[in-house]
Amino acid sequence: MILVPVKNLENAKQRLSPLLDAPERFALAEAMLADVLAAIAGWRARPATAVVTSDSVASALARAHGFEILEETENRSETDAIDMATQLCETRGVAETLVLPGDIPLVTAEELQHMAASVPPQGTLFVPAADGRGTNAVWRRPAALFPLRFGNDSFLPHRRAAEASGLPVVVLKLEGIGLDVDRPSDLAALLASQHDCRTLRLLRSWCLQERLLAARGA
């Protein structure tokens, strides 16, 4: 099962507050999630998909694609929300989980298919963040092979935990999945992309490049 954890979109991306006001951060978070869900929907051979959230906008986007909603009513951290969802998968007999964040707007169905073709029959596949510190996708077979602990420097601890399982570990570096958006530098990298997606169209409508240049000169 694909699990997409989403916290309250209205409070998303606080680290971008020097550059974007609250309505803009909300619009950005919504657009990125819409792009991620559209990419998953475009992957014809995808596993079942669930959005783990209590956010009404995220739930509406999930319903628009026919995805399941796993209600997360306690406003847990991303790690705890995924723990809850993974336990539910185990009770259902789900054999594997792929965790994707909602802030990787350049992800494509082709990248997801590439992951599916590369994940070992038993073991783990990772896609690290572009800086090599974070974990932007993790595919576990079986579903709860090791616990996840997300954060800025999660990749190496995740990799050690996967290797400790004794099962194969595959690491893929993928341009789209590798770019998550947390800081102004991530927005600059996103704007430099030649891709077309809802998030990029939104950012370009804001003339954000000029703001980034002004921020650098401050």
Side-chain angles (χ1 to χ4, degrees):
M1 173 171 274
I2 300 173
L3 301 173
V4 183
V6 182
K7 294 193 73 176
N8 188 327
L9 294 179
E10 289 189 351
N11 295 325
K13 303 303 170 189
Q14 294 291 327
R15 280 184 283 181
L16 295 176
S17 57
L19 197 67
L20 303 177
D21 62 24
E24 288 173 330
R25 295 197 302 276
F26 171 79
L28 172 64
E30 181 184 17
M32 291 194 295
L33 179 61
D35 282 332
V36 170
L37 297 185
I40 295 171
W43 177 19
R44 293 187 177 182
R46 68 182 179 276
T49 301
V51 175
V52 186
T53 191
S54 60
D55 186 275
S56 60
V57 174
S59 296
L61 288 171
R63 280 193 292 270
H65 289 292
F67 297 156
E68 182 178 2
I69 300 162
L70 297 183
E71 290 285 348
E72 200 294 282
T73 58
E74 298 182 14
N75 198 29
R76 297 176 173 90
S77 67
E78 180 181 10
T79 295
D80 291 341
I82 288 301
D83 276 350
M84 180 273 292
T86 301
Q87 291 171 17
L88 180 60
C89 286
E90 282 193 295
T91 63
R92 293 179 177 181
V94 173
E96 57 192 306
T97 53
L98 166 60
V99 179
L100 292 172
D103 64 350
I104 49 172
L106 299 186
V107 59
T108 65
E110 289 74 20
E111 283 191 339
L112 296 170
Q113 179 57 43
H114 183 35
M115 290 175 61
S118 304
V119 64
Q122 284 195 311
T124 309
L125 182 146
F126 291 114
V127 179
D131 64 5
R133 296 173 57 187
T135 308
N136 284 12
V138 54
W139 197 324
R140 294 174 293 173
R141 285 177 169 169
L145 180 60
F146 58 92
L148 300 178
R149 294 292 179 266
F150 288 101
N152 290 333
D153 295 299
S154 64
F155 177 65
L156 286 179
H158 277 158
R159 182 168 184 167
R160 292 189 191 105
E163 289 172 345
S165 74
L167 294 173
V169 177
V170 174
V171 178
L172 286 181
K173 294 184 178 179
L174 298 174
E175 178 184 0
I177 295 175
L179 179 58
D180 55 339
V181 178
D182 290 312
R183 298 158 295 191
S185 59
D186 299 325
L187 290 174
L190 185 57
L191 284 165
S193 169
Q194 299 302 311
H195 287 73
D196 179 40
C197 63
R198 177 174 169 175
T199 304
L200 272 169
R201 291 192 292 273
L202 178 69
L203 295 180
R204 287 165 181 154
S205 74
W206 292 343
C207 300
L208 195 62
Q209 192 67 46
E210 296 176 6
R211 286 194 239 174
L212 285 165
L213 291 172
R216 288 173 186 167

